[in-house]
């Protein structure tokens, strides 16, 4: 329903783009491992003095897979609770499909918000990561 016809970036390109960004802002890459039933694509950690920041993320090919990605994040959240931040990572999405997802899937929107999940759009071509939903 929300699937865009042309795939501009591969999952590997999206992963490299987000990893490059996270390294640039001071995170160390960790080897993703199963967290309960979920295997994240991205797992990073950063320490600032006594504060520790950790993010796990799952990458999906487009907005049509967003619900599946949020389910994976919810599974990980059952194990890690509030110890880390959670990000659904997508390639650039047309505004039409993004708004259609938010409006049509209203019952999911509140769950996403209640769990403090983030939604990032990654454009490797422009070396850009935008957080459209949530905050770290």
């Amino acid at each position: 329903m929300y699937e865009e016809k042309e795939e501009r970036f591969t999952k590997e390109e999206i992963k490299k783009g987000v990893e490059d960004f996270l390294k640039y802002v001071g995170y160390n890459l960790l080897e993703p491992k199963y967290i309960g039933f979920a295997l994240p694509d991205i797992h990073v950690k950063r320490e600032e003095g006594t504060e520790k920041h950790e993010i796990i993320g799952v990458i999906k090919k487009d907005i049509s897979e967003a619900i599946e990605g949020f389910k994976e994040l919810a599974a990980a959240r059952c194990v890690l609770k509030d110890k880390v931040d959670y990000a659904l990572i997508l390639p650039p999405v047309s505004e039409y499909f993004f708004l259609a997802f938010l409006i049509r899937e209203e019952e999911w929107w509140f769950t996403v918000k209640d769990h403090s999940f983030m939604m990032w759009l990654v454009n490797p071509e422009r070396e850009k990561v935008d957080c459209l939903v949530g905050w770290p």
Side-chain angles (χ1 to χ4, degrees), residues 58-77:
V58 295
I59 300 169
K60 295 299 175 186
K61 71 175 183 162
D62 61 38
I63 196 89
S64 70
E65 296 183 346
I67 300 299
E68 185 60 35
F70 285 129
K71 286 179 186 178
E72 291 175 40
L73 293 174
R77 194 172 197 289

Side-chain angles (χ1 to χ4, degrees), residues 49-97:
T50 59
E51 290 187 40
K52 295 179 183 179
H53 304 278
E54 196 169 345
I55 300 171
I56 63 164
V58 295
I59 300 169
K60 295 299 175 186
K61 71 175 183 162
D62 61 38
I63 196 89
S64 70
E65 296 183 346
I67 300 299
E68 185 60 35
F70 285 129
K71 286 179 186 178
E72 291 175 40
L73 293 174
R77 194 172 197 289
C78 287
V79 175
L80 297 177
K81 311 283 187 230
D82 293 330
K83 295 178 188 174
V84 304
D85 291 317
Y86 303 88
L88 173 66
I89 304 163
L90 302 169
V93 174
S94 90
E95 291 173 4
Y96 172 81
F97 289 119

Side-chain angles (χ1 to χ4, degrees), residues 96-118:
Y96 172 81
F97 289 119
F98 181 71
L99 291 173
F101 170 78
L102 290 179
I103 292 167
R104 185 171 175 90
E105 306 296 343
E106 187 175 324
E107 67 276 5
W108 292 108
W109 166 243
F110 290 111
T111 302
V112 168
K113 196 169 125 181
D114 291 345
H115 285 82
S116 300
F117 290 152
M118 298 179 286

